[in-house]
Amino acid sequence: MDTEAALTRTETETPDLSSPGGLARTIRLRRAEFGPLARHVDLPEPGVLSPLPDLAAAGADEAGSDTPESVREPGELLREFTGLSTVTVRAALLPLAVPDRVVDARSALFDSAPTQCRLYASHQAEAVFVGLRPGPAGEYELMAPFAPQDLAWWVQLQVQFSNGQPIPLPSAMEELTAEELAFLLVLVDAYKTAFFRSFAGRRQRPTPVTVSLTDVLEAQQDALRVADRRWISHCVAELFAAQLHPGGRTGTLLPPVTAAVAERELRRYAAAGDLEPAGTGNPQAYELGLTLATFAGTLFTWISLLALHDVQVVGYEAGRAVAQEDMVLFVVTEPTVWTLVSQGLTRAGQDWSDVRFGLRALGVVEATDLAGDFLRPIPGLSLPEDFYWPEPEPEPEPEPEPVTEPLSRAPAAPVPPTEPAFRPTHRVPPGGMSAWTAPDPALTAVTRIDGRVELQVLERAGDWAHIVCSNGWSAWVDGRRIEEIGS
């Protein structure tokens, strides 16, 4: 594909995922360099989804402590674009300033932290993304122009190590509510624990591997308490919690598996014949049927997880952006690619009770095709010009009316001007940590914070620390585990 042609497509064209890609150049940037680079290529004022204001604000703080030589000239940063015209370079980077779509692409190998790449697209620069991901030594890697085919190839590389067999599912698992999905993941972890415990000693006769209500609830508590990425319920929760949602909210999780939910689901699976009662103990123990045991067994040691989370703006009225939200999750195993597709995320907010998840076993080709369809933009969308280039705001009145909060910028909402500037004092340990709404161990943790995230400690209460993140989100964490910056 010709680079100039790819960047100057008309807005009526749909990206062709069958066309060759491989155009992306990679620029490594410090935060203090984003502002000068944007001005150098004459990017427009950032739109509501642009990450540039947050990066530039943080970069301004960094620049005060950097030596002049450490902030490089824009010409040096753009060496990878040598030979391209200024118009072409500006078009390649335009989605970073005025995006109307954000795709989070995350992958995680077994027992490894998920890698992230956030992709920005705009109808003002059709058929290309700008990718932004954490780089080494606190830098960012900016990838542009990132074609849809590049992302489709990336998906194919992630799923290619599976045999992709069409493994059947119990009928009760083909469409799941958020509660049912949470239970299924915890059930797999409970069965995995019981299965490996069965190898602890020799036995005289075959004994079935069973799970009970107690095992399920213990697996749920382990998932909340211990950040162990070998367990499927923790890994899926980690990917869900990191998604960027309309309104900028993060940390959204599947609902916890309570005793009432577990009892209900155990009875439902038993009634369908997927669980068989074993013995007469209290609580009742169950042996997994062949189909359910096959599903759970494939997830004991999966190869990788791959999540694509898409937010597309579909309307803009009265200064407020309306977005459509979808997610697809591939769990790559040796026998098959388990594929989870969301329905109903757009209006879910923090309450996922109406969200449905479709679960299927796909082959490599089918999984790649599904990702290609998922990555195509919604056809026929046309947003008003003031979404991309809003009119200057009038001078504020002495007592201004409250303004409806627009869709937050990505990747994090800036701290309101009336609040103190964020000054990180500590960081999360490498393995990440749980967070609570109050310093009470009896409460259920609301989310997990990724490792190495910078925090500001607001106050302490015994072993607890009240922290705030750079996007203004606050919570209580175990103050004994956070690491002081500079120590």
Side-chain angles (χ1 to χ4, degrees):
M1 181 192 296
D2 180 75
T3 304
E4 296 275 357
L7 296 174
T8 54
R9 286 187 175 193
T10 65
E11 293 189 2
T12 59
E13 289 182 291
T14 299
D16 181 6
L17 295 181
S18 64
S19 61
L23 302 172
R25 277 90 163 160
T26 300
I27 310 173
R28 288 186 176 177
L29 294 168
R30 304 180 185 95
R31 286 188 173 187
E33 295 169 335
F34 277 91
L37 180 65
R39 291 189 293 272
H40 178 77
V41 298
D42 194 28
L43 292 181
E45 287 296 313
V48 296
L49 283 180
S50 173
L52 289 176
D54 297 315
L55 292 167
D61 292 338
E62 291 179 3
S65 59
D66 287 343
T67 61
E69 293 79 13
S70 64
V71 179
R72 295 161 293 179
E73 292 295 326
E76 180 183 354
L77 299 173
L78 292 172
R79 284 182 301 178
E80 292 293 327
F81 288 84
T82 300
L84 298 181
S85 68
T86 303
V87 173
T88 301
V89 175
R90 184 181 186 273
L93 300 180
L94 186 63
L96 195 64
V98 288
D100 50 41
R101 183 185 187 190
V102 181
V103 177
D104 273 337
R106 296 173 183 262
S107 64
L109 296 175
F110 182 77
D111 200 20
S112 298
T115 60
Q116 174 197 358
C117 181
R118 185 160 287 163
L119 297 157
Y120 299 89
S122 174
H123 281 77
Q124 302 298 315
E126 195 78 18
V128 291
F129 289 95
V130 174
L132 190 63
R133 66 186 179 191
E139 295 181 332
Y140 286 85
E141 291 185 343
L142 185 67
M143 296 165 290
F146 201 89
Q149 181 63 60
D150 294 321
L151 194 53
W153 283 346
W154 177 70
V155 172
Q156 184 173 351
L157 288 174
Q158 303 296 315
V159 303
Q160 67 177 339
F161 298 106
S162 172
N163 286 326
Q165 299 300 315
I167 298 177
L169 278 169
S171 58
M173 291 167 48
E174 291 182 357
E175 181 176 293
L176 303 165
T177 66
E179 277 190 345
E180 291 167 353
L181 175 60
F183 169 81
L184 178 61
L185 298 176
V186 172
L187 176 65
V188 170
D189 283 348
Y191 182 60
K192 178 177 179 177
T193 301
F195 188 89
F196 285 110
R197 282 176 180 168
S198 71
F199 285 87
R202 294 183 179 274
R203 61 194 184 194
Q204 296 294 328
R205 60 184 61 86
T207 303
V209 177
T210 62
V211 293
S212 67
L213 173 65
T214 301
D215 297 323
V216 172
L217 295 180
E218 286 181 354
Q220 169 73 104
Q221 290 304 310
D222 286 345
L224 295 173
R225 186 173 59 248
V226 184
D228 191 333
R229 292 189 172 106
R230 296 173 300 169
W231 304 90
I232 191 68
S233 61
H234 170 75
C235 288
V236 171
E238 185 176 36
L239 290 173
F240 279 4
Q243 294 173 350
L244 171 74
H245 299 272
R249 71 191 192 287
T250 56
T252 301
L253 297 173
L254 290 171
V257 178
T258 63
V261 170
E263 287 178 330
R264 182 196 71 204
E265 288 301 294
L266 288 171
R267 289 195 301 268
R268 189 168 72 92
Y269 277 74
D274 298 311
L275 290 175
E276 294 288 339
T280 58
N282 186 18
Q284 176 68 60
Y286 296 92
E287 183 179 358
L288 273 65
L290 178 60
T291 303
L292 183 57
T294 300
F295 168 79
T298 64
L299 296 178
F300 282 6
T301 53
W302 67 90
I303 298 172
S304 65
L305 280 78
L306 170 63
L308 298 174
H309 180 249
D310 183 24
V311 174
Q312 296 191 55
V313 177
V314 294
Y316 187 68
E317 297 179 1
R320 184 178 181 85
V322 180
Q324 177 170 311
E325 178 182 6
D326 295 290
M327 184 275 298
V328 61
L329 173 68
F330 299 107
V331 184
V332 183
T333 67
E334 190 277 332
T336 195
V337 180
W338 296 111
T339 307
L340 194 69
V341 181
S342 71
Q343 181 179 356
L345 274 183
T346 299
R347 296 179 178 86
Q350 295 294 117
D351 180 9
W352 283 18
S353 57
D354 292 330
V355 179
R356 296 295 183 269
F357 295 91
L359 181 61
R360 298 290 186 275
L362 297 182
V364 174
V365 174
E366 291 84 0
T368 305
D369 289 346
L370 174 62
D373 291 339
F374 181 85
L375 293 170
R376 288 189 176 92
I378 299 173
L381 281 182
S382 179
L383 298 173
E385 290 295 308
D386 58 353
F387 170 77
Y388 301 102
W389 299 287
E391 294 292 330
E393 295 184 3
E395 291 294 326
E397 298 293 331
E399 295 183 3
E401 296 273 338
V403 179
T404 302
E405 182 181 355
L407 192 69
S408 298
R409 293 184 175 97
V415 178
T418 57
E419 297 182 4
F422 175 72
R423 292 290 184 269
T425 59
H426 294 72
R427 62 171 58 92
V428 177
M433 65 190 307
S434 297
W436 287 261
T437 56
D440 183 355
L443 298 175
T444 300
V446 293
T447 188
R448 288 194 60 81
I449 308 176
D450 289 342
R452 316 310 297 171
V453 169
E454 292 184 341
L455 314 168
Q456 180 179 352
V457 173
L458 302 176
E459 59 178 316
R460 289 184 180 268
D463 292 335
W464 294 86
H466 188 197
I467 58 90
V468 64
C469 299
S470 61
N471 63 354
W473 182 81
S474 64
W476 289 86
V477 299
D478 186 347
R480 298 167 297 181
R481 296 187 57 210
I482 55 178
E483 302 172 354
E484 187 172 358
I485 292 178
S487 62

